[in-house]
Amino acid sequence: MKFPVANQGWRSHKLASQTSDDSLGEISMIGGLLRFITQEESSHYFTRSSAVACVAACLKSVGHNIGDIHTWDGQGVPPTAMNPRSLTLVLGGSSDTDPLMEDFQQLPNTTLIIPYQYKTVGSMLMSALRCRLDILVETLQEDFEHVYEYVETNIGVDFVQRKGMSRPAAEFSWEGRSAKACPIAKRLAAIHFPICAELVAPCYARIANEHYLDRTRPNVRCGVIPGRPELARFRAITAAVAISIASRLAPASFKNVAHATVMELDHEHWVSKICTVLDNHMDTGSGLPLHMAVLILAAVHAAHAPIDTEKTNDRITGWRNGVYGIVPDILLHMTIGSPRMHLVCIDYFWANVQVRKDGSIRSAQTPDLQTGDSQDPVFDTRALQHPNEPGLGPAVPCSPDIPLHLSLGTPLSKERDLCLIGTIGGCVAGTVGILDILCALLQSDVEPKTCPGHSDPTRVWHVTTSAWARELYTKPISWLHPTFVPVEDDHCWAIFLAGQTATQYRGRLVYRCVDCAVENSVTASGPNPGNKRSGVFVGLFPKNSESAASK
């Protein structure tokens, strides 16, 4: 769409009585076009904004009722519309145009969304400063890349679920604790990272001098104005630190996708909110809870305004704002490669999933299961088995005897949050909350890389997938022995079973050895709290694994 440039001189003169901000004129003009589209009796619209003409062409291409789009030099008699609802871009003259733009003077309060990529962070930071300063965009980009390289090299993040945790959390590991930084760099870092000042101090090495320290005193940190480029650069570097640390929550994707932010650096609010959360959780044993990690990433990737993360819903597992999304990696691939998880930033349409009005994607609850007569600890699980099905004995890996299909959806109840729905032969076999899947995945990280060998193999209660699916909510789970459900590399069954049993029955995925998994999975109570070896173990390993070979 190569429309000519609009009459810029006319626009500045026309808008002088409204505002000195020319961006308000473009926004107001586009707003006028939208009003024109909604008025059925409108027949012809004149504009002096090429942006309006471009927006009209885009809207027309997707089906909106807009006629021909023409240009006119503004000389002589205005052209007559050849088709109804036509639009004319006026390039000169003094005739009146954009008649419906006058009612949009309040639009400057609209949130400014700034798209960016790794190579354009410097431009984004300059835009976020909201004023003209004697700083080069290239300088801000170099500052960011210096910070990003340090953080990428020295900070690692692992999502874990430790004993006593009800939700996954991100634990930060600092490889660069021995990195030396000068005292001034530490003082600059301590302004927004008082707890982790020594760890992030090297990020401020490029401005670590008395001049910058003097310009960032508390009594002059209230805002960024022309004549204070030192304060502006300090605040931009602090934002770069926040972006770089947040990127470690999605290490495989952040550097390669497009992002959007509503960052504002003309005051301290944005950096203070983000940095306070990171500083309070980076160097502690508690880690950063999953829902807070999602919110931090949403602020730097999905144009979400920073909020009080302590008061948000702890069932948040993802975010979406237009094409910008944040989801656990297991939901993108529906496969399990290892007992690890990371968040993934995406910049494309992913799936038609349920999203709350604030943009959050929340995990649904997994329905409770029963073990027959749950009041009787000696319940005979053989009643739920067929005579020809294996019972008690060493673990025997095998493939599922019926196929399972997994899809994203919402529960069968009135709840409208995200879950995985398992179907067998077109019938619903159950629903699983996303959080329970993640918990089971992280709690399964108990097997040693090499099995030490076992002289007395664990006796497990074998349950086939068809026996498991026979009843919707009543399952053949043993109270006295580990319950073993072999699925042999069927990731759909593995994800479904682990999520179904994670909370109630200490569901675990077994990657190599059942004996190692049972012996090391004693941190949570199983179906029988008195028997730490009870629980549900989902055998993901194939027949030729070391577990099978050791038998």
Side-chain angles (χ1 to χ4, degrees):
M1 292 178 291
K2 298 180 180 180
F3 290 108
V5 177
N7 188 344
Q8 299 288 341
W10 175 90
R11 184 187 302 129
S12 300
H13 174 75
K14 173 74 173 178
L15 298 175
S17 61
Q18 298 180 24
T19 176
S20 59
D21 184 3
D22 187 59
S23 65
L24 168 59
E26 294 285 8
I27 295 173
S28 296
M29 289 175 173
I30 294 173
L33 170 68
L34 300 180
R35 292 175 67 90
F36 164 73
I37 294 174
T38 60
Q39 296 179 1
E40 295 182 1
E41 68 276 8
S42 300
S43 61
H44 196 180
Y45 196 77
F46 291 86
T47 181
R48 291 183 182 270
S49 170
S50 56
V52 170
C54 289
V55 170
C58 292
L59 293 177
K60 179 181 178 180
S61 67
V62 296
H64 284 272
N65 186 15
I66 298 175
D68 295 335
I69 302 175
H70 305 279
T71 60
W72 174 47
D73 61 6
Q75 306 299 318
V77 180
T80 303
M82 299 298 295
N83 297 302
R85 304 183 66 78
S86 297
L87 182 139
T88 298
L89 175 62
V90 182
L91 305 178
S94 58
S95 60
D96 196 18
T97 62
D98 299 278
L100 302 178
M101 65 175 285
E102 305 294 340
D103 295 332
F104 290 85
Q105 296 188 28
Q106 65 273 41
L107 283 179
N109 294 325
T110 302
T111 302
L112 176 62
I113 298 177
I114 311 174
Y116 70 99
Q117 298 179 3
Y118 177 83
K119 289 295 184 181
T120 62
V121 172
S123 298
M124 180 273 291
L125 294 173
M126 182 66 78
S127 298
L129 288 169
R130 306 296 178 93
C131 62
R132 297 177 181 177
L133 295 159
D134 189 18
I135 303 177
L136 296 176
V137 169
E138 291 79 3
T139 300
L140 297 182
Q141 182 66 30
E142 290 171 2
D143 288 342
F144 167 73
E145 292 182 4
H146 168 260
V147 170
Y148 192 95
E149 181 181 358
Y150 168 78
V151 171
E152 185 179 36
T153 303
N154 294 283
I155 300 179
V157 174
D158 283 312
F159 279 90
V160 299
Q161 176 128 9
R162 304 294 187 197
K163 184 177 180 180
M165 289 182 177
S166 61
R167 298 284 186 269
E171 282 192 352
F172 292 82
S173 58
W174 293 79
E175 304 298 334
R177 288 181 180 272
S178 60
K180 301 299 181 181
C182 68
I184 294 180
K186 294 178 182 178
R187 292 175 65 182
L188 289 170
I191 294 175
H192 290 291
F193 295 94
I195 299 174
C196 301
E198 187 171 352
L199 302 174
V200 301
C203 298
Y204 294 87
R206 289 166 61 92
I207 59 170
N209 57 59
E210 292 287 351
H211 181 66
Y212 273 89
L213 186 63
D214 181 66
R215 296 300 190 275
T216 55
R217 297 191 312 272
N219 60 325
V220 296
R221 285 208 309 268
C222 58
V224 174
I225 58 173
R228 289 183 178 174
E230 298 86 1
L231 180 57
R233 189 177 177 190
F234 164 78
R235 196 167 290 166
I237 289 177
T238 302
V241 175
I243 294 172
S244 300
I245 295 175
S247 73
R248 304 308 297 151
L249 300 169
S253 59
F254 193 89
K255 200 171 182 178
N256 304 314
V257 301
H259 312 280
T261 183
V262 292
M263 182 188 302
E264 297 178 355
L265 298 181
D266 54 342
H267 50 74
E268 285 191 326
H269 174 75
W270 194 94
V271 292
S272 294
K273 281 279 188 179
I274 299 293
C275 295
T276 297
V277 175
L278 292 174
D279 190 48
N280 288 338
H281 293 88
M282 280 194 300
D283 204 27
T284 64
S286 61
L288 182 68
L290 175 61
H291 68 282
M292 292 188 184
V294 170
L295 287 168
I296 292 294
L297 264 179
V300 301
H301 170 68
H304 176 59
I307 60 175
D308 189 352
T309 55
E310 304 289 346
K311 298 180 180 180
T312 54
N313 190 292
D314 67 353
R315 300 196 67 81
I316 293 175
T317 55
W319 204 271
R320 188 166 75 182
N321 183 4
V323 297
Y324 302 104
I326 301 162
V327 292
D329 53 356
I330 193 172
L331 294 185
L332 284 181
H333 311 297
M334 290 295 185
T335 58
I336 303 171
S338 67
R340 294 281 189 272
M341 70 152 284
H342 283 290
L343 296 173
V344 179
C345 293
I346 54 179
D347 57 358
Y348 54 86
F349 177 78
W350 163 54
N352 188 23
V353 299
Q354 188 76 20
V355 179
R356 295 293 185 104
K357 290 183 178 179
D358 61 357
S360 63
I361 300 173
R362 303 183 187 182
S363 170
Q365 300 276 358
T366 299
D368 290 341
L369 303 178
Q370 299 176 359
T371 58
D373 185 3
S374 60
Q375 302 301 316
D376 182 5
V378 293
F379 168 65
D380 187 4
T381 52
R382 288 174 295 179
L384 292 174
Q385 296 282 105
H386 282 205
N388 61 341
E389 292 174 350
L392 195 62
V396 178
C398 64
S399 301
D401 56 351
I402 53 174
L404 174 86
H405 175 73
L406 274 185
S407 60
L408 292 165
T410 54
L412 304 178
S413 62
K414 294 182 180 179
E415 190 180 359
R416 306 305 300 169
D417 290 323
L418 186 64
C419 70
L420 288 181
I421 302 175
T423 56
I424 298 175
C427 299
V428 175
T431 61
V432 183
I434 307 304
L435 267 178
D436 294 302
I437 296 171
L438 300 179
C439 290
L441 177 68
L442 298 175
Q443 290 172 355
S444 301
D445 189 16
V446 296
E447 299 176 60
K449 293 183 178 180
T450 303
C451 175
H454 307 275
S455 58
D456 184 17
T458 301
R459 289 167 61 83
V460 299
W461 179 253
H462 284 83
V463 177
T464 61
T465 52
S466 59
W468 183 273
R470 194 167 295 136
E471 299 287 340
L472 188 59
Y473 297 117
T474 303
K475 303 301 179 182
I477 299 172
S478 173
W479 283 66
L480 302 177
H481 303 279
T483 299
F484 179 67
V485 187
V487 297
E488 195 182 295
D489 283 337
D490 190 313
H491 292 262
C492 287
W493 264 113
I495 293 171
F496 181 73
L497 290 171
Q500 264 198 323
T501 59
T503 303
Q504 275 186 285
Y505 302 111
R506 200 175 50 161
R508 298 290 188 274
L509 293 163
V510 183
Y511 296 90
R512 293 176 293 275
C513 177
V514 175
D515 300 280
C516 291
V518 172
E519 291 176 4
N520 292 285
S521 299
V522 296
T523 58
S525 60
N528 180 5
N531 182 3
K532 292 183 177 181
R533 293 173 67 85
S534 63
V536 177
F537 295 84
V538 182
L540 189 58
F541 57 87
K543 291 180 181 179
N544 59 355
S545 69
E546 62 184 51
S547 177
S550 66
K551 305 295 185 288

